[in-house]
């Protein structure tokens, strides 16, 4: 039954395509052509003659018959022209409706046309016992290819990819383009089709190399699948659920993900949090805490600025949740500016302390970032030499000219640059030599096993040797035990940060800690250990 339904949808789509090339816009605008005008003039002329003749000679029957015949012929021509115009107008409207429901690049149904195909199945689902699958296929590198090779080449590759789906599933399903980098398939959920999904056959079909002007390229894909419950009351919602599954697949790194009700809950939560995050940024509802950093002698030399969101009703919201949320909601630059402003404002309490501020790749890709920081320095009356900006290793892959220019401008102002989470991403001597880095921060994953695994100490030693060769400072994160700290100092790591030294603290707590004597701080450290 589902096969018959979807075949009917395909026939309907084909009928719309047959309408596509039929009329021209000129025909749609024209109310009458030359033949219609001649027929109308003839008709009016004959009427005038008939009236005049009948008035002057009522007995001219032969002439009247001729005139009647002419009137009948003219009327017939006029009627034919009227029908022709009416059919043209209808065809033009159908053509316009088709264009509204189709994608101009692939000639496939767009999201609206695809929703109509889903709706058609929904109307028939009351009597159908056959399940259908709605697939959203995210083409992960299509935007990159568009940017690198140009729109025309990117569109051609998109047509090739959509053609693969049409060839494989077009005879028994509906293929559509429902987003800039997303294709969709409506197909009977047969055991064979489910096996193709689980077995990754559809992913492999989309991942096959494509011919480009610079050589063969592959467009990786992730698939979200929704098996909508019958009856389908909202086609748009059924498609939205497939999109959610595709987003879940992309986030988790899986090739295929299936829609679950929990995804709906997660999306609603994210939407609510996005609204509340915007409000918190406007009202000053976010707070900064600072985790102290020490040198090899145990003196507090700096603190890392960390953002916290004490939500009034939800409780503390983790940065691992609201920071990615800010990036997807387009709030990354606003959030980053907020952190810089608060850190600048708080730093006046500790003139001898260097404050480390995290900066996202999105901020560094902004051409106005350095100028914004410069204006904030003036606004808050602080010195750049009292701060360092921490960048992640992801910046190494995004070392675009604007990023490098921003980093160079920051260093010229007097800021230092620290490379955070070193060793967990894409570090290499080639990248490090290109970036203006003053400090390397060893990730906690290398610090935690110290004292338990011999190779952990060897890794720290190698990183320490690298820092000496590059002439940069070295700081270890996540130091939680005295044994770890001792090993780090023995291997030449001259700075440390972690719970052993101090938990993230409010500005008042940092001030109180700085006021303690060295002996009191040592006692506090021993107590914490």
């Amino acid at each position: 039954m589902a096969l018959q339904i979807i075949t009917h949808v395909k026939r309907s789509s084909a009928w719309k395509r047959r309408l596509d090339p039929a009329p021209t816009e000129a025909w749609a605008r024209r109310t009458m052509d030359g033949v219609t005008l001649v027929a109308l003039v003839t008709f009016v002329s004959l009427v005038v003659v008939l009236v005049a003749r009948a008035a002057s000679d009522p007995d001219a029957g032969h002439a009247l018959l001729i005139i009647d015949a002419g009137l009948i012929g003219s009327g017939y021509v006029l009627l034919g022209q009227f029908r022709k115009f009416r059919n043209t107008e209808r065809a033009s409207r159908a053509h316009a409706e088709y264009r509204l429901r189709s994608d101009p690049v692939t000639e496939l149904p767009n999201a609206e046309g695809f929703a109509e195909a889903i709706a058609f199945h929904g109307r028939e689902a009351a009597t159908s016992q056959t399940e259908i699958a709605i697939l959203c296929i995210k083409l992960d590198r299509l935007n990159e290819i568009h940017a690198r090779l140009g729109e025309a080449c990117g569109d051609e590759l998109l047509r090739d990819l959509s053609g693969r789906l049409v060839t494989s599933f077009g005879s028994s399903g509906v293929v559509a383009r429902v987003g800039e980098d997303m294709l969709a398939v409506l197909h009977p959920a047969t055991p064979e089709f489910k096996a193709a999904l689980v077995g990754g056959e559809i992913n492999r079909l989309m991942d096959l190399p494509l011919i480009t002007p610079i050589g063969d390229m592959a467009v990786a894909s992730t698939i979200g699948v929704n098996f909508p419950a019958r009856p389908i009351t909202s086609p748009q919602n059924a498609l939205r659920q497939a999109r959610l599954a595709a987003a879940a697949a992309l986030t988790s790194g899986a090739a295929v993900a299936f829609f679950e009700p929990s995804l709906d809950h997660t999306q609603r939560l994210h939407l609510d949090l996005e609204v509340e995050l915007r409000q918190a940024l406007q009202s000053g509802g976010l707070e900064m805490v600072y985790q102290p950093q020490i040198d090899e002698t145990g003196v507090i030399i700096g603190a890392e600025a960390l953002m916290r969101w004490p939500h009034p009703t939800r409780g503390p919201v983790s940065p691992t949740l609201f920071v990615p949320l800010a990036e997807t909601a387009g709030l990354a630059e606003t959030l980053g500016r907020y952190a810089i402003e608060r850190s600048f404002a708080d730093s006046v309490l500790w003139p001898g302390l260097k404050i480390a501020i995290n900066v996202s790749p999105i901020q560094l890709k902004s051409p106005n970032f350095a100028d914004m920081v410069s204006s904030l320095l003036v606004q808050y009356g602080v010195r750049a030499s009292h701060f360092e900006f921490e960048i992640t290793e992801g910046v190494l892959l995004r070392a675009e000219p604007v990023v490098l220019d921003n980093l160079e401008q920051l260093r010229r102002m007097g800021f230092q640059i620290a490379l955070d989470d070193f060793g967990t991403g894409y570090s290499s001597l080639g990248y490090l030599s290109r970036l203006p880095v003053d400090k390397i921060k060893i990730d906690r994953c290398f610090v935690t096993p110290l004292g338990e695994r011999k190779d952990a100490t060897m890794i720290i030693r190698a990183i320490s040797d690298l820092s000496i060769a590059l002439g940069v400072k070295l700081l270890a994160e996540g130091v939680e035990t005295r044994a770890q700290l001792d090993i780090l100092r023995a291997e030449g790591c001259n700075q440390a940060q972690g719970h052993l030294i101090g938990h993230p603290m409010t500005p008042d707590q940092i001030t109180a800690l700085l006021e303690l004597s060295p002996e009191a701080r040592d006692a506090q450290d021993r107590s914490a250990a």
Side-chain angles (χ1 to χ4, degrees), residues 92-153:
S92 180
R93 283 199 301 267
H95 170 68
E97 291 176 359
Y98 165 78
R99 283 299 178 193
L100 287 175
R101 291 164 174 78
S102 67
D103 171 57
V105 175
T106 62
E107 295 296 324
L108 295 172
N110 58 15
E112 184 177 351
F114 192 64
E116 288 187 356
I118 299 173
F120 183 87
H121 180 272
R123 288 191 295 269
E124 299 293 329
T127 57
S128 172
Q129 298 301 316
T130 305
E131 194 177 25
I132 67 164
I134 300 173
L135 277 62
C136 280
I137 305 172
K138 174 74 166 57
L139 306 173
D140 301 334
R141 297 184 60 203
L142 188 62
N143 289 335
E144 176 189 337
I145 291 174
H146 264 101
R148 184 177 180 185
L149 302 180
E151 187 174 350
C153 184

Side-chain angles (χ1 to χ4, degrees), residues 289-335:
V289 295
Y290 300 86
Q291 187 168 29
Q293 302 169 338
I294 60 172
D295 64 9
E296 65 274 11
T297 66
V299 174
I300 297 176
I301 57 171
E304 180 180 0
L306 302 168
M307 187 173 289
R308 296 293 183 263
W309 185 8
H311 197 285
T313 58
R314 302 181 189 274
V317 180
S318 171
T320 59
L321 177 58
F322 72 77
V323 172
L325 176 65
E327 293 177 351
T328 57
L331 295 172
E333 291 187 58
T334 304
L335 190 70

